[in-house]
Every structure is written in structure tokens, then in C-alpha cells.
Amino acid sequence: MGPGNDTLISEFLLLGFSEEPALQPLIFGLFLSMYLITVLGNLLIILAVSSDSHLHSPMYFFLYNLSLVDICFTSTTVPKMLVNIQTQRKAITYAGCITQLYFFICFAGLDDFLLAVMAYDRYVAICHPLHYTVIMNPRLCGLLVLMSWIMGSLNSLLQSLIVLRLSFCTDLEIPHFFCELKEVVQLACSDTFLNNMVMYFITVLLAGGPLAGILYSYSKIVSSIRAIPSAEGKYKAFSTCASHLSVVSLFYCTSIGVYLSSVATHSSHSSIAASVMYTVVTPMLNPFIYSLRNRDIKRALKRFLGMSGTKGTINPG
């Protein structure tokens, strides 16, 4: 297949973690477990927020959306990898790869934007508590989430469209467990200058922008907490943003770790291992962080699970 014959491309090969047959059951079991925990944990958060009227507030509205995005984010990559391991095939169709690429970029961007929106929510709650309900009104909350979805979708659409213009030759092996943008672009045998420029520009703009907003919000939050005279007041104020701060730290530390590992080493295995941290591990841990550090969530989960158990024991007659 020569350059320019991109219309003849039928599939890519996802090399995954290891070609050792003995390791495949272990990898399959590990990722299946993490995927099920991720879906179940985030689904419980969604059901708890939906069913408890005490959680119908901006903070939990954003948490609801974050949990929904985390389920979608993980579902974009892990199921296909599990199917490939189970069927002992590594192939993903060209259309399937572009589709996976689109949704992966979209949900990764949404995670980024929602974390920034949640940081702004905590900033208003702690720095302007008397005006919180006025500022964080339902209309603004809905608009912030809608804008996050629009920006995430437009970003992924742009990145996917400029991949479609590339021509690919005979080497169609992706040294990853999903169609990662950088790896796909590197396989092209046509000019990738535009792709690389757009990729790095958008990364700086859409990743650096929300991160700057988060850092600014927390700098103001820290200043406000330090001004609180009582130790109990400081603890109460800090506890309202501790869960979000933990999730932000986990998300950005693992994302930066992936970037640094790709720069420091050319080993595909180390890059894949680092990618697992923010693509699979972080969405899995988010529900635990919020449920373990948040009394309202724990109370709502107990109430919801108690209601489910009660309904399950009712004898219809």
C-alpha cells in the first residue's frame, strides 16, 4: 500500500501490553475488574445524587456529570481491549479507530473542563458564601456543563478530521491498547506538521487553560481559609474541597506523568503503563475519593442501598 492509498486502509493493529499468551488471562481479569468497579462506582454516585434531594446542588450536579463522563471515558477504550484479548485478535477497523479517537479526546477534554468548573464552584462557595446561591444558579450551572460538552466535542471533532486527511502506508501497528492520537499520527507516511501543530497548540490551550483556572481558584481558596480565625472553621472550609482537590491532583499528576514518560523514554511499555493511570485507574478511584471523604455522599449511598434492599425484600403477595 503506497502513500495516498488511505482509502484502502481497512484496519489498524493494537499491540496492547504483551504478546505473551500466559499473561493474557491476567491482563484480561485485571482490566475487567477495574472496568466493572469503575462503572459500578460511578453509577452508584449518579444514582445517589439523582435519588437524594439533599444532593440537588451545584457541587453534586457537577459530580453527577463527572461520574457520567468517567463511565463513558473508560468505556471508550477498555471494552475493545477486552474483546481483542478474548478473541485473540488485535485488529480495530479504520472507522473504529477514528471513532475511538474522537470519543477518547472528547471525554478526556470533558474531564478536564468539569474539574475546572468544579474548582470554580468551590471558589465561589468558600470565597463568596453569602452570594453562592445567586452566583451558582441553575442556569449558570447548566451553561457551564453545556459549554464543557461543546468545547470537548469541537476539540475532538477538529483533531479527528485532521487525522482523516493523513495517508498511511504498510506499518499499521499501534503500540498501545487503544487508538491514541499521537501514536496514530506517527504511523502516517504523509506530512504530519499540521497535525502536530494543532495537537500541541490545543494541548497547551485546553489543558493549560483549565489547569490555570484551577490553580487560581485554589490560590484564592487558600487565602480565604487562612483568613478564617477558628481552626474548626478552617477545617470545615477545607473539607468542602478536599475531595475535589484529591481528584484534581490524581488526574493531573497521572496526565503529566504520561507526558514526562513519553518524553524521557521511547519505551512503549512504560508509556502504556503510565497511560493506564489516567485512562483507567483515575476514573476508578474518583467514586471512592468522593464517597469516602464526603458525608453527604455516604449518607445518600446508604439511604439508596437501603431503599433498594427494602424494595427487594417486599413480597408482592
Side-chain angles (χ1 to χ4, degrees):
M1 186 186 299
N5 291 333
D6 53 313
T7 55
L8 300 179
I9 295 173
S10 59
E11 61 186 25
F12 291 96
L13 296 178
L14 298 174
L15 300 185
F17 292 91
S18 173
E19 297 184 9
E20 291 292 332
L23 292 177
Q24 299 308 306
L26 177 62
I27 296 172
F28 181 86
L30 179 62
F31 276 84
L32 178 61
S33 301
M34 289 195 293
Y35 178 67
L36 292 177
I37 292 171
T38 300
V39 173
L40 180 60
N42 283 286
L43 188 59
L44 283 174
I45 295 291
I46 291 171
L47 293 174
V49 172
S50 301
S51 62
D52 195 324
S53 59
H54 296 93
L55 300 184
H56 293 174
S57 64
M59 181 174 71
Y60 296 111
F61 172 67
F62 297 135
L63 177 58
Y64 175 98
N65 281 274
L66 181 67
S67 295
L68 178 62
V69 169
D70 278 344
I71 291 176
C72 297
F73 185 37
T74 310
S75 298
T76 302
T77 58
V78 177
K80 176 58 180 174
M81 184 192 72
L82 295 176
V83 169
N84 280 8
I85 293 176
Q86 188 67 20
T87 58
Q88 298 183 355
R89 296 185 72 250
K90 300 178 181 180
I92 181 171
T93 64
Y94 177 76
C97 186
I98 299 299
T99 302
Q100 188 182 69
L101 190 72
Y102 171 85
F103 284 109
F104 178 82
I105 296 172
C106 178
F107 293 127
L110 272 167
D111 253 344
D112 199 19
F113 295 135
L114 285 174
L115 289 175
V117 168
M118 294 171 79
Y120 175 71
D121 172 72
R122 293 299 82 206
Y123 158 74
V124 176
I126 294 174
C127 299
H128 305 283
L130 298 179
H131 301 94
Y132 178 73
T133 54
V134 177
I135 297 174
M136 300 304 296
N137 58 75
R139 183 174 179 275
L140 177 63
C141 294
L143 188 61
L144 288 172
V145 171
L146 178 62
M147 288 302 298
S148 297
W149 277 92
I150 291 174
M151 292 175 68
S153 300
L154 290 178
N155 170 38
S156 57
L157 180 62
L158 173 62
Q159 301 260 30
S160 302
L161 286 176
I162 60 175
V163 169
L164 287 174
R165 59 179 282 278
L166 296 176
S167 301
F168 296 90
C169 301
T170 54
D171 183 14
L172 300 177
E173 294 183 345
I174 301 175
H176 221 300
F177 67 96
F178 67 95
C179 287
E180 201 266 338
L181 177 61
K182 186 178 179 182
E183 298 289 351
V184 173
V185 171
Q186 287 178 345
L187 292 180
C189 53
S190 56
D191 182 32
T192 61
F193 176 77
L194 176 62
N195 297 77
N196 290 323
M197 287 297 295
V198 170
M199 190 191 315
Y200 292 122
F201 176 75
I202 289 180
T203 299
V204 171
L205 183 65
L206 298 187
L211 179 58
I214 291 171
L215 294 176
Y216 176 80
S217 296
Y218 273 102
S219 68
K220 293 295 185 181
I221 288 171
V222 170
S223 298
S224 296
I225 291 177
R226 289 180 62 186
I228 298 174
S230 67
E232 182 181 354
K234 290 181 179 180
Y235 175 78
K236 186 176 181 181
F238 178 76
S239 65
T240 62
C241 58
S243 297
H244 176 258
L245 187 58
S246 301
V247 171
V248 167
S249 301
L250 184 64
F251 180 81
Y252 278 101
C253 287
T254 53
S255 301
I256 292 171
V258 171
Y259 174 76
L260 292 178
S261 69
S262 64
V263 171
T265 177
H266 296 288
S267 172
S268 61
H269 290 290
S270 62
S271 179
I272 294 173
S275 297
V276 171
M277 290 301 297
Y278 82 96
T279 58
V280 183
V281 176
T282 299
M284 180 183 69
L285 293 180
N286 285 354
F288 292 99
I289 293 173
Y290 274 102
S291 60
L292 291 176
R293 300 187 62 91
N294 191 299
R295 293 180 181 178
D296 293 334
I297 289 289
K298 287 193 285 188
R299 192 180 301 116
L301 285 172
K302 288 178 181 178
R303 189 179 295 116
F304 174 78
L305 294 174
M307 288 172 56
S308 300
T310 302
K311 289 179 181 179
T313 56
I314 294 177
N315 190 343

